[in-house]
């Protein structure tokens, strides 16, 4: 269940939430676990940012970026310095927001593996959710690698997979993968709508759980008996933290409190990011 402001009941007006946002809200509301929010605004920010994660996943899938292992990673040298370990280090004098947008604009200049992909998606979603100038301040020394190495994403670990919703990062493990194909070890994916996932690599794009497992199983050792599987662990950014940096130009919802209920009307929308 969702808990905030003294356990008030929330009533959303028609078209206040998108279909995706409402499905996320309903799943959290019907959960046996308690999801605590300090305000209605924080909840609305999370719903919007989760939408941005899904939209950024779609945008990356259409950008023309290539899949590559760490040894063959590529990037646009106008924005990034490629380190010996396949990391992208932001070049001096480059605005972080411009460097992130370039990946989606000039995708054919980039090649990376799946964990890098989910990190890029997270940064793009944050950029589209907060004030762009704040984004440049927060990530002034931007270094892209896997999500284990990006502490400034403020990722939160969860381990009850049934609670995962659209916008979460989920990992599929392939315990008996072929060692000569190291990227067959597993797949980092973004949970999308309708029990589908976005994965970068293997031509996955949008796939069901069964399809992800089937593709990973093609990269097992000869004679292996253990199938790839979806792990129970998943992660997502600390939405409450990033809500502190949202643009002051963001239009706020019309909110009215009547008794123990809070009524919310349309009006909370996302403007285009810019300097």
């Amino acid at each position: 269940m969702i808990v905030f402001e003294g356990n008030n009941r929330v009533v959303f007006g028609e078209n206040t939430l998108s279909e995706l946002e409402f499905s996320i809200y309903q799943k959290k509301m019907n959960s046996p676990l308690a999801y605590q929010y300090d305000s209605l605004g924080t909840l609305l920010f999370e719903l919007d940012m989760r939408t941005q994660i899904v939209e950024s996943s779609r945008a990356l899938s259409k950008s023309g970026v290539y899949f590559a292992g760490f040894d063959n990673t590529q990037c646009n040298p106008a924005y990034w310095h490629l380190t010996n370990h396949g990391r992208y280090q932001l070049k001096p004098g480059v605005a972080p927001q411009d460097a992130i947008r370039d990946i989606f604009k000039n995708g054919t200049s980039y090649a990376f593996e799946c964990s890098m992909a989910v990190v890029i998606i997270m940064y793009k979603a944050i950029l589209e959710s907060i004030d762009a100038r704040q984004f440049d301040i927060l990530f002034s020394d931007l270094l892209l690698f896997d999500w284990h190495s990006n502490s400034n994403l403020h990722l939160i670990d969860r381990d009850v997979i049934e609670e995962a919703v659209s916008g979460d990062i989920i990992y599929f493990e392939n315990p008996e993968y072929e060692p000569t194909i190291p990227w067959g070890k597993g797949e980092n994916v973004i949970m999308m709508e309708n029990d589908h996932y976005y994965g970068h690599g293997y031509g996955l794009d949008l796939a069901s759980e069964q399809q992800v497992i089937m593709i990973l199983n093609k990269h097992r050792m000869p004679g292996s008996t253990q199938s790839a599987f979806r792990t129970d662990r998943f992660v997502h950014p600390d939405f409450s933290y990033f809500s502190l940096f949202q643009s002051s130009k963001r239009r706020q919802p019309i909110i009215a409190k009547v008794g123990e209920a809070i009524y919310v009307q349309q009006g909370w929308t996302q403007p285009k990011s810019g300097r």
Side-chain angles (χ1 to χ4, degrees), residues 69-230:
F70 292 126
D71 293 338
N72 296 303
T73 301
Q74 299 176 22
C75 62
N76 186 344
Y79 293 87
W80 305 96
H81 168 66
L82 184 62
T83 74
N84 294 333
H85 302 287
R87 294 173 169 88
Y88 294 0
Q89 177 65 64
L90 185 70
K91 281 197 165 182
V94 173
Q97 60 173 296
D98 293 339
I100 291 296
R101 288 198 175 103
D102 185 70
I103 299 173
F104 292 81
K105 181 179 179 182
N106 297 304
T108 55
S109 298
Y110 294 86
F112 43 78
E113 55 86 62
C114 63
S115 60
M116 175 84 89
V118 297
V119 164
I120 290 169
I121 288 168
M122 290 298 120
Y123 280 116
K124 180 65 159 56
I126 294 168
L127 173 57
E128 298 301 334
S129 302
I130 70 173
D131 182 86
R133 290 168 296 184
Q134 288 288 346
F135 183 89
D136 286 344
I137 294 171
L138 287 173
F139 308 115
S140 59
D141 192 28
L142 191 58
L143 176 68
L144 301 184
F145 191 41
D146 60 22
W147 50 270
H148 298 284
S149 306
N150 278 261
S151 59
N152 54 4
L153 284 175
H154 294 266
L155 296 176
I156 295 174
D157 280 277
R158 305 289 188 190
D159 58 8
V160 182
I161 193 62
E162 293 78 15
E163 294 294 307
V165 295
S166 298
D168 286 328
I169 301 172
I170 295 174
Y171 186 66
F172 283 78
E173 185 174 344
N174 194 13
E176 295 186 326
Y177 72 99
E178 172 56 59
T180 61
I181 309 174
W183 52 87
K185 183 178 182 179
E187 180 76 15
N188 293 278
V189 298
I190 301 292
M191 189 169 185
M192 304 289 276
E193 308 103 316
N194 303 317
D195 296 320
H196 277 68
Y197 306 90
Y198 168 72
H200 175 65
Y202 307 114
L204 267 178
D205 198 24
L206 199 63
S208 66
E209 177 180 345
Q210 292 73 23
Q211 288 171 320
V212 177
I213 290 172
M214 180 182 66
I215 291 173
L216 287 174
N217 280 344
K218 293 179 180 179
H219 301 286
R220 290 189 297 169
M221 293 183 295
S224 61
T225 58
Q226 187 173 359
S227 171
F229 61 95
R230 184 187 66 177

Side-chain angles (χ1 to χ4, degrees), residues 16-30:
T16 300
L17 299 180
S18 68
E19 184 177 342
L20 174 59
E21 290 171 332
F22 189 68
S23 68
I24 295 170
Y25 171 77
Q26 276 194 313
K27 184 169 181 178
K28 286 181 170 286
M29 196 68 196
N30 295 331

